[in-house]
């Protein structure tokens, strides 16, 4: 049903309008209880996995006492911090998978609402000027039919009042780096994968993705944005996948 839309060049703008037309479900996706206009019922939402209280202040990886993790100490990331609404664990992982692979697009608005609750209190401190969804390579976009980050960025941009730069970054080289590759090789694979068509001087960027795993992709995006002058780059995700 999404295939004809995916082929359109100005896909983002076009799809953005259609996505609002999806009807909200009448049952909770997780427990299937009747939950009018709530894709996740409040009871299930309250049970979703959150981050461990002790985590790296820079990348949110679990650490013993809340100290910086070894990786951030050895090679500080280009991004200035990460915000994650949840930990990537059951059953939140099922929601993300339903969103990405079963086109449960009504979840985009729900995810945006959770992120807005997390980020709105931070806006006074960080004063973000631009919201950039992590781009997909055009081939991946054609396969999936939509960019999961862009569909969340649109309603989030409205909620936070931060302009969304839908094409603020472009992915010009495909080939998702293998999570199993050592960090060095992963970074090597990512070099040159993204390009930034604009000047970001004076901009304080909030980069949006669905899940942060190793952080390599977000790090490479932050590197490119800073090369184009971005004053700061924070990463916001629905969920942080942790090593254990
Ligand atoms: Zn429920
Ligand atoms: Zn860290």
């Amino acid at each position: 049903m999404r295939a004809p839309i995916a082929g359109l060049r100005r896909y983002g703008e076009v799809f953005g309008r259609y996505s609002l037309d999806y009807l909200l479900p009448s049952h909770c996706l997780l427990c299937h209880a009747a939950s009018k206009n709530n894709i996740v019922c409040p009871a299930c939402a309250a049970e979703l996995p959150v981050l461990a209280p002790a985590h790296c202040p820079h990348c949110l990886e679990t650490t013993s006492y809340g100290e910086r993790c070894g990786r951030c100490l050895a090679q500080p990331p280009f991004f200035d911090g990460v915000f994650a609404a949840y930990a990537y664990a059951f059953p939140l992982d099922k929601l993300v998978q339903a969103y990405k692979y079963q086109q449960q697009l009504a979840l985009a608005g729900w995810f945006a609402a959770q992120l807005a609750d997390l980020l709105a209190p931070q806006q006074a401190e960080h004063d973000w000027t631009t919201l950039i969804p992590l781009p997909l390579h055009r081939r991946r976009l054609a396969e999936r039919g939509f960019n999961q980050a862009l569909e969340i960025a649109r309603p989030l941009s409205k909620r936070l009042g931060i302009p969304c730069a839908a094409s603020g970054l472009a992915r010009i080289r495909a080939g998702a780096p293998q999570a199993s590759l050592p960090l060095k090789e992963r970074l090597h694979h990512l070099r040159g994968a993204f390009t930034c068509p604009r000047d970001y001087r004076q901009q304080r960027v909030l980069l949006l993705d669905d899940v942060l795993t190793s952080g390599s992709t977000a790090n490479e995006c932050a590197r490119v944005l800073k090369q184009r002058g971005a004053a700061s780059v924070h990463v916001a995700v629905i969920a942080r996948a942790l090593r254990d």
Side-chain angles (χ1 to χ4, degrees):
M1 135 174 115
R2 217 138 281 115
I5 296 168
L8 292 173
R9 259 189 88 179
R10 295 186 65 209
Y11 147 83
E13 279 67 24
V14 174
F15 191 73
R17 256 180 275 139
Y18 283 103
S19 64
L20 295 174
D21 298 337
Y22 286 99
L23 289 174
L24 282 170
S26 53
H27 290 83
C28 170
L29 266 184
L30 292 173
C31 70
H32 308 292
S35 179
K36 199 157 170 45
N37 293 341
N38 252 329
I39 194 159
V40 181
C41 75
C44 284
E47 296 288 310
L48 289 172
V50 292
L51 295 168
H55 51 247
C56 171
H58 207 125
C59 75
L60 306 182
E61 183 61 72
T62 305
T63 53
S64 306
Y65 312 103
E67 73 279 19
R68 265 182 186 232
C69 72
R71 257 176 69 177
C72 286
L73 278 174
Q75 197 165 35
F78 288 96
F79 51 74
D80 296 277
V82 179
F83 296 94
Y86 299 102
Y88 191 68
F90 182 84
L92 194 275
D93 54 352
K94 301 295 166 211
L95 290 180
V96 173
Q97 288 157 19
Y99 172 53
K100 280 166 79 170
Y101 307 116
Q102 294 154 27
Q103 279 96 23
Q104 290 281 356
L105 283 161
L107 273 167
W110 188 82
F111 287 142
Q114 312 314 304
L115 280 168
D117 287 348
L118 175 73
L119 296 167
Q122 303 290 333
Q123 174 65 339
E125 183 184 340
H126 298 292
D127 195 18
W128 292 299
T129 55
T130 314
L131 178 64
I132 302 181
L134 208 115
L136 289 182
H137 187 264
R138 59 185 157 71
R139 210 153 39 205
R140 178 65 61 85
L141 182 61
E143 278 165 19
R144 185 165 298 159
F146 67 105
N147 175 348
Q148 69 272 16
L150 174 61
E151 295 307 317
I152 298 168
R154 287 181 194 286
L156 182 62
S157 157
K158 283 200 192 112
R159 282 175 180 267
L160 294 175
I162 305 172
C164 173
S167 46
L169 270 174
R171 180 146 198 168
I172 51 171
R173 223 182 54 217
Q178 298 297 313
S180 56
L181 285 179
L183 180 66
K184 234 180 171 170
E185 279 180 52
R186 221 157 39 207
L187 292 175
H188 179 73
H189 273 247
L190 281 165
R191 278 288 156 110
F194 294 93
T195 179
C196 179
R198 298 185 196 175
D199 191 311
Y200 278 98
R201 263 174 292 183
Q202 321 278 325
Q203 297 293 309
R204 291 173 297 281
V205 175
L206 187 59
L207 183 67
L208 185 79
D209 201 7
D210 55 345
V211 179
L212 187 89
T213 305
S214 72
S216 312
T217 308
N219 192 43
E220 176 59 12
C221 289
R223 189 186 72 80
V224 171
L225 287 164
K226 287 199 164 171
Q227 225 171 33
R228 297 305 304 257
S232 66
V233 179
H234 288 87
V235 183
V237 289
I238 304 159
R240 175 68 160 105
L242 301 163
R243 272 191 278 270
D244 280 308

